[in-house]
Amino acid sequence: MKKAIVYVLMAMMMTVSVTAWARTAKDDVMTRQSDGTYVVNTTTLCADVEGYRGTTPLKVYIKSGKVVKVEALRNQETPKYFVRVKQQMLDKWNGKKVQKAEKMQVDAVTGATFSSEAVKQNVRAALHYYQKHKK
């Protein structure tokens, strides 16, 4: 009888521990910095979105409902062309309200169309994720 009570109590403690851990588990897609800036990392969010030579993950920084910056992460795109994407595209969303930025029609960079399209999909996915998961 005492063993059964001990087992039940242990099971209850484990359930409470797992539930508490699940509530505090860190989101691998979006984090919030101490200054209130949300950072959405599209590495796992857009794992199926590919540019010319592979995925084009980004970090999208959002503060007070506006895009602060879009930062390219390591990728396999042709450096010569992706530099142009970074220079000509990534700042297009800066300062825009998330709702407006999500609907923007940003032109692709000539010669880097696949990379450009992948970047646009990553940004839209990041903004959409932010809208659904911000606290």
PDB file of all heavy atoms in Angstrom, residues 30-55:
ATOM      1  N   MET A  30      11.619  32.115 -32.059  1.00  0.00           N
ATOM      2  CA  MET A  30      11.530  33.528 -31.657  1.00  0.00           C
ATOM      3  C   MET A  30      11.981  33.712 -30.215  1.00  0.00           C
ATOM      4  O   MET A  30      11.564  32.976 -29.329  1.00  0.00           O
ATOM      5  CB  MET A  30      10.092  34.037 -31.811  1.00  0.00           C
ATOM      6  CG  MET A  30       9.956  35.518 -31.534  1.00  0.00           C
ATOM      7  SD  MET A  30       8.383  36.228 -32.080  1.00  0.00           S
ATOM      8  CE  MET A  30       7.231  35.529 -30.917  1.00  0.00           C
ATOM      9  N   THR A  31      12.834  34.712 -30.028  1.00  0.00           N
ATOM     10  CA  THR A  31      13.286  35.066 -28.688  1.00  0.00           C
ATOM     11  C   THR A  31      13.001  36.544 -28.466  1.00  0.00           C
ATOM     12  O   THR A  31      12.809  37.299 -29.418  1.00  0.00           O
ATOM     13  CB  THR A  31      14.798  34.807 -28.512  1.00  0.00           C
ATOM     14  OG1 THR A  31      15.514  35.524 -29.513  1.00  0.00           O
ATOM     15  CG2 THR A  31      15.121  33.329 -28.617  1.00  0.00           C
ATOM     16  N   ARG A  32      12.983  36.910 -27.202  1.00  0.00           N
ATOM     17  CA  ARG A  32      12.766  38.315 -26.860  1.00  0.00           C
ATOM     18  C   ARG A  32      13.970  38.809 -26.080  1.00  0.00           C
ATOM     19  O   ARG A  32      14.357  38.219 -25.070  1.00  0.00           O
ATOM     20  CB  ARG A  32      11.503  38.471 -26.026  1.00  0.00           C
ATOM     21  CG  ARG A  32      11.155  39.916 -25.796  1.00  0.00           C
ATOM     22  CD  ARG A  32       9.806  40.075 -25.162  1.00  0.00           C
ATOM     23  NE  ARG A  32       9.487  41.487 -25.078  1.00  0.00           N
ATOM     24  CZ  ARG A  32       8.561  41.966 -24.292  1.00  0.00           C
ATOM     25  NH1 ARG A  32       7.836  41.152 -23.551  1.00  0.00           N
ATOM     26  NH2 ARG A  32       8.326  43.247 -24.264  1.00  0.00           N
ATOM     27  N   GLN A  33      14.572  39.874 -26.564  1.00  0.00           N
ATOM     28  CA  GLN A  33      15.732  40.443 -25.908  1.00  0.00           C
ATOM     29  C   GLN A  33      15.296  41.320 -24.745  1.00  0.00           C
ATOM     30  O   GLN A  33      14.126  41.701 -24.645  1.00  0.00           O
ATOM     31  CB  GLN A  33      16.569  41.242 -26.912  1.00  0.00           C
ATOM     32  CG  GLN A  33      17.119  40.386 -28.035  1.00  0.00           C
ATOM     33  CD  GLN A  33      17.896  41.187 -29.062  1.00  0.00           C
ATOM     34  OE1 GLN A  33      17.689  42.390 -29.239  1.00  0.00           O
ATOM     35  NE2 GLN A  33      18.793  40.524 -29.764  1.00  0.00           N
ATOM     36  N   SER A  34      16.236  41.664 -23.901  1.00  0.00           N
ATOM     37  CA  SER A  34      15.907  42.443 -22.705  1.00  0.00           C
ATOM     38  C   SER A  34      15.330  43.828 -23.027  1.00  0.00           C
ATOM     39  O   SER A  34      14.593  44.386 -22.228  1.00  0.00           O
ATOM     40  CB  SER A  34      17.142  42.591 -21.810  1.00  0.00           C
ATOM     41  OG  SER A  34      18.179  43.254 -22.511  1.00  0.00           O
ATOM     42  N   ASP A  35      15.647  44.375 -24.187  1.00  0.00           N
ATOM     43  CA  ASP A  35      15.114  45.695 -24.554  1.00  0.00           C
ATOM     44  C   ASP A  35      13.747  45.617 -25.227  1.00  0.00           C
ATOM     45  O   ASP A  35      13.210  46.623 -25.683  1.00  0.00           O
ATOM     46  CB  ASP A  35      16.091  46.444 -25.456  1.00  0.00           C
ATOM     47  CG  ASP A  35      16.236  45.823 -26.843  1.00  0.00           C
ATOM     48  OD1 ASP A  35      15.741  44.705 -27.067  1.00  0.00           O
ATOM     49  OD2 ASP A  35      16.857  46.477 -27.703  1.00  0.00           O
ATOM     50  N   GLY A  36      13.165  44.406 -25.284  1.00  0.00           N
ATOM     51  CA  GLY A  36      11.837  44.245 -25.870  1.00  0.00           C
ATOM     52  C   GLY A  36      11.842  43.897 -27.351  1.00  0.00           C
ATOM     53  O   GLY A  36      10.786  43.740 -27.959  1.00  0.00           O
ATOM     54  N   THR A  37      13.015  43.774 -27.934  1.00  0.00           N
ATOM     55  CA  THR A  37      13.122  43.408 -29.346  1.00  0.00           C
ATOM     56  C   THR A  37      12.909  41.905 -29.501  1.00  0.00           C
ATOM     57  O   THR A  37      13.532  41.109 -28.815  1.00  0.00           O
ATOM     58  CB  THR A  37      14.511  43.782 -29.916  1.00  0.00           C
ATOM     59  OG1 THR A  37      14.713  45.177 -29.745  1.00  0.00           O
ATOM     60  CG2 THR A  37      14.622  43.408 -31.383  1.00  0.00           C
ATOM     61  N   TYR A  38      12.006  41.546 -30.413  1.00  0.00           N
ATOM     62  CA  TYR A  38      11.795  40.146 -30.758  1.00  0.00           C
ATOM     63  C   TYR A  38      12.721  39.805 -31.920  1.00  0.00           C
ATOM     64  O   TYR A  38      12.875  40.604 -32.841  1.00  0.00           O
ATOM     65  CB  TYR A  38      10.348  39.894 -31.187  1.00  0.00           C
ATOM     66  CG  TYR A  38       9.364  39.916 -30.051  1.00  0.00           C
ATOM     67  CD1 TYR A  38       8.749  41.093 -29.658  1.00  0.00           C
ATOM     68  CD2 TYR A  38       9.041  38.739 -29.374  1.00  0.00           C
ATOM     69  CE1 TYR A  38       7.845  41.114 -28.617  1.00  0.00           C
ATOM     70  CE2 TYR A  38       8.133  38.753 -28.331  1.00  0.00           C
ATOM     71  CZ  TYR A  38       7.540  39.934 -27.953  1.00  0.00           C
ATOM     72  OH  TYR A  38       6.643  39.955 -26.918  1.00  0.00           O
ATOM     73  N   VAL A  39      13.328  38.627 -31.860  1.00  0.00           N
ATOM     74  CA  VAL A  39      14.191  38.166 -32.938  1.00  0.00           C
ATOM     75  C   VAL A  39      13.620  36.846 -33.443  1.00  0.00           C
ATOM     76  O   VAL A  39      13.528  35.875 -32.700  1.00  0.00           O
ATOM     77  CB  VAL A  39      15.644  37.956 -32.468  1.00  0.00           C
ATOM     78  CG1 VAL A  39      16.518  37.513 -33.641  1.00  0.00           C
ATOM     79  CG2 VAL A  39      16.195  39.227 -31.830  1.00  0.00           C
ATOM     80  N   VAL A  40      13.198  36.837 -34.707  1.00  0.00           N
ATOM     81  CA  VAL A  40      12.646  35.630 -35.315  1.00  0.00           C
ATOM     82  C   VAL A  40      13.722  35.041 -36.214  1.00  0.00           C
ATOM     83  O   VAL A  40      14.202  35.700 -37.139  1.00  0.00           O
ATOM     84  CB  VAL A  40      11.374  35.927 -36.132  1.00  0.00           C
ATOM     85  CG1 VAL A  40      10.799  34.638 -36.700  1.00  0.00           C
ATOM     86  CG2 VAL A  40      10.343  36.645 -35.270  1.00  0.00           C
ATOM     87  N   ASN A  41      14.105  33.804 -35.921  1.00  0.00           N
ATOM     88  CA  ASN A  41      15.115  33.089 -36.691  1.00  0.00           C
ATOM     89  C   ASN A  41      14.395  32.100 -37.602  1.00  0.00           C
ATOM     90  O   ASN A  41      13.660  31.234 -37.127  1.00  0.00           O
ATOM     91  CB  ASN A  41      16.056  32.356 -35.729  1.00  0.00           C
ATOM     92  CG  ASN A  41      17.178  31.653 -36.426  1.00  0.00           C
ATOM     93  OD1 ASN A  41      17.045  31.152 -37.536  1.00  0.00           O
ATOM     94  ND2 ASN A  41      18.317  31.590 -35.759  1.00  0.00           N
ATOM     95  N   THR A  42      14.598  32.227 -38.904  1.00  0.00           N
ATOM     96  CA  THR A  42      13.856  31.391 -39.852  1.00  0.00           C
ATOM     97  C   THR A  42      14.561  30.079 -40.206  1.00  0.00           C
ATOM     98  O   THR A  42      14.113  29.365 -41.092  1.00  0.00           O
ATOM     99  CB  THR A  42      13.561  32.166 -41.153  1.00  0.00           C
ATOM    100  OG1 THR A  42      14.791  32.452 -41.828  1.00  0.00           O
ATOM    101  CG2 THR A  42      12.790  33.443 -40.869  1.00  0.00           C
ATOM    102  N   THR A  43      15.643  29.739 -39.515  1.00  0.00           N
ATOM    103  CA  THR A  43      16.387  28.521 -39.837  1.00  0.00           C
ATOM    104  C   THR A  43      15.481  27.290 -39.834  1.00  0.00           C
ATOM    105  O   THR A  43      15.481  26.525 -40.799  1.00  0.00           O
ATOM    106  CB  THR A  43      17.568  28.330 -38.859  1.00  0.00           C
ATOM    107  OG1 THR A  43      18.418  29.480 -38.947  1.00  0.00           O
ATOM    108  CG2 THR A  43      18.362  27.084 -39.203  1.00  0.00           C
ATOM    109  N   THR A  44      14.720  27.099 -38.774  1.00  0.00           N
ATOM    110  CA  THR A  44      13.807  25.944 -38.724  1.00  0.00           C
ATOM    111  C   THR A  44      12.434  26.283 -39.274  1.00  0.00           C
ATOM    112  O   THR A  44      11.771  25.427 -39.841  1.00  0.00           O
ATOM    113  CB  THR A  44      13.659  25.398 -37.287  1.00  0.00           C
ATOM    114  OG1 THR A  44      13.202  26.449 -36.432  1.00  0.00           O
ATOM    115  CG2 THR A  44      14.972  24.851 -36.770  1.00  0.00           C
ATOM    116  N   LEU A  45      12.042  27.523 -39.133  1.00  0.00           N
ATOM    117  CA  LEU A  45      10.732  27.960 -39.608  1.00  0.00           C
ATOM    118  C   LEU A  45      10.605  27.792 -41.123  1.00  0.00           C
ATOM    119  O   LEU A  45       9.552  27.406 -41.625  1.00  0.00           O
ATOM    120  CB  LEU A  45      10.509  29.422 -39.214  1.00  0.00           C
ATOM    121  CG  LEU A  45       9.175  30.067 -39.554  1.00  0.00           C
ATOM    122  CD1 LEU A  45       8.036  29.366 -38.808  1.00  0.00           C
ATOM    123  CD2 LEU A  45       9.209  31.542 -39.187  1.00  0.00           C
ATOM    124  N   CYS A  46      11.667  28.067 -41.835  1.00  0.00           N
ATOM    125  CA  CYS A  46      11.645  28.016 -43.312  1.00  0.00           C
ATOM    126  C   CYS A  46      12.658  27.006 -43.854  1.00  0.00           C
ATOM    127  O   CYS A  46      13.306  27.255 -44.876  1.00  0.00           O
ATOM    128  CB  CYS A  46      11.935  29.399 -43.871  1.00  0.00           C
ATOM    129  SG  CYS A  46      10.687  30.624 -43.467  1.00  0.00           S
ATOM    130  N   ALA A  47      12.773  25.899 -43.185  1.00  0.00           N
ATOM    131  CA  ALA A  47      13.734  24.876 -43.604  1.00  0.00           C
ATOM    132  C   ALA A  47      13.453  24.347 -45.006  1.00  0.00           C
ATOM    133  O   ALA A  47      14.353  23.806 -45.653  1.00  0.00           O
ATOM    134  CB  ALA A  47      13.749  23.730 -42.598  1.00  0.00           C
ATOM    135  N   ASP A  48      12.234  24.503 -45.489  1.00  0.00           N
ATOM    136  CA  ASP A  48      11.881  24.008 -46.819  1.00  0.00           C
ATOM    137  C   ASP A  48      11.908  25.102 -47.885  1.00  0.00           C
ATOM    138  O   ASP A  48      11.641  24.846 -49.053  1.00  0.00           O
ATOM    139  CB  ASP A  48      10.508  23.350 -46.790  1.00  0.00           C
ATOM    140  CG  ASP A  48       9.411  24.306 -46.355  1.00  0.00           C
ATOM    141  OD1 ASP A  48       9.708  25.301 -45.674  1.00  0.00           O
ATOM    142  OD2 ASP A  48       8.244  24.053 -46.693  1.00  0.00           O
ATOM    143  N   VAL A  49      12.262  26.327 -47.513  1.00  0.00           N
ATOM    144  CA  VAL A  49      12.332  27.432 -48.473  1.00  0.00           C
ATOM    145  C   VAL A  49      13.767  27.522 -48.978  1.00  0.00           C
ATOM    146  O   VAL A  49      14.686  27.748 -48.198  1.00  0.00           O
ATOM    147  CB  VAL A  49      11.909  28.769 -47.818  1.00  0.00           C
ATOM    148  CG1 VAL A  49      12.097  29.918 -48.784  1.00  0.00           C
ATOM    149  CG2 VAL A  49      10.479  28.691 -47.329  1.00  0.00           C
ATOM    150  N   GLU A  50      13.930  27.343 -50.288  1.00  0.00           N
ATOM    151  CA  GLU A  50      15.276  27.343 -50.844  1.00  0.00           C
ATOM    152  C   GLU A  50      15.478  28.442 -51.871  1.00  0.00           C
ATOM    153  O   GLU A  50      14.565  28.785 -52.619  1.00  0.00           O
ATOM    154  CB  GLU A  50      15.584  25.991 -51.480  1.00  0.00           C
ATOM    155  CG  GLU A  50      15.649  24.880 -50.457  1.00  0.00           C
ATOM    156  CD  GLU A  50      16.342  23.641 -50.974  1.00  0.00           C
ATOM    157  OE1 GLU A  50      16.807  23.626 -52.122  1.00  0.00           O
ATOM    158  OE2 GLU A  50      16.411  22.680 -50.199  1.00  0.00           O
ATOM    159  N   GLY A  51      16.685  28.948 -51.894  1.00  0.00           N
ATOM    160  CA  GLY A  51      17.107  29.901 -52.907  1.00  0.00           C
ATOM    161  C   GLY A  51      17.690  29.122 -54.078  1.00  0.00           C
ATOM    162  O   GLY A  51      17.180  28.073 -54.454  1.00  0.00           O
ATOM    163  N   TYR A  52      18.798  29.610 -54.600  1.00  0.00           N
ATOM    164  CA  TYR A  52      19.416  28.956 -55.750  1.00  0.00           C
ATOM    165  C   TYR A  52      20.174  27.701 -55.350  1.00  0.00           C
ATOM    166  O   TYR A  52      20.103  26.683 -56.028  1.00  0.00           O
ATOM    167  CB  TYR A  52      20.353  29.942 -56.458  1.00  0.00           C
ATOM    168  CG  TYR A  52      20.981  29.392 -57.704  1.00  0.00           C
ATOM    169  CD1 TYR A  52      20.213  29.133 -58.827  1.00  0.00           C
ATOM    170  CD2 TYR A  52      22.344  29.129 -57.759  1.00  0.00           C
ATOM    171  CE1 TYR A  52      20.774  28.618 -59.979  1.00  0.00           C
ATOM    172  CE2 TYR A  52      22.925  28.624 -58.910  1.00  0.00           C
ATOM    173  CZ  TYR A  52      22.137  28.370 -60.012  1.00  0.00           C
ATOM    174  OH  TYR A  52      22.703  27.855 -61.152  1.00  0.00           O
ATOM    175  N   ARG A  53      20.902  27.765 -54.226  1.00  0.00           N
ATOM    176  CA  ARG A  53      21.735  26.631 -53.824  1.00  0.00           C
ATOM    177  C   ARG A  53      21.372  26.050 -52.457  1.00  0.00           C
ATOM    178  O   ARG A  53      22.105  25.236 -51.918  1.00  0.00           O
ATOM    179  CB  ARG A  53      23.197  27.068 -53.813  1.00  0.00           C
ATOM    180  CG  ARG A  53      23.670  27.491 -55.197  1.00  0.00           C
ATOM    181  CD  ARG A  53      25.100  27.903 -55.204  1.00  0.00           C
ATOM    182  NE  ARG A  53      25.949  26.733 -55.012  1.00  0.00           N
ATOM    183  CZ  ARG A  53      27.221  26.806 -54.677  1.00  0.00           C
ATOM    184  NH1 ARG A  53      27.783  27.978 -54.477  1.00  0.00           N
ATOM    185  NH2 ARG A  53      27.933  25.718 -54.536  1.00  0.00           N
ATOM    186  N   GLY A  54      20.276  26.461 -51.894  1.00  0.00           N
ATOM    187  CA  GLY A  54      19.890  25.935 -50.589  1.00  0.00           C
ATOM    188  C   GLY A  54      19.044  26.930 -49.821  1.00  0.00           C
ATOM    189  O   GLY A  54      18.541  27.902 -50.380  1.00  0.00           O
ATOM    190  N   THR A  55      18.907  26.672 -48.538  1.00  0.00           N
ATOM    191  CA  THR A  55      18.094  27.543 -47.700  1.00  0.00           C
ATOM    192  C   THR A  55      18.788  28.889 -47.489  1.00  0.00           C
ATOM    193  O   THR A  55      20.010  28.995 -47.592  1.00  0.00           O
ATOM    194  CB  THR A  55      17.808  26.895 -46.329  1.00  0.00           C
ATOM    195  OG1 THR A  55      19.051  26.631 -45.674  1.00  0.00           O
ATOM    196  CG2 THR A  55      17.010  25.613 -46.484  1.00  0.00           C
TER     197      THR A  55
END
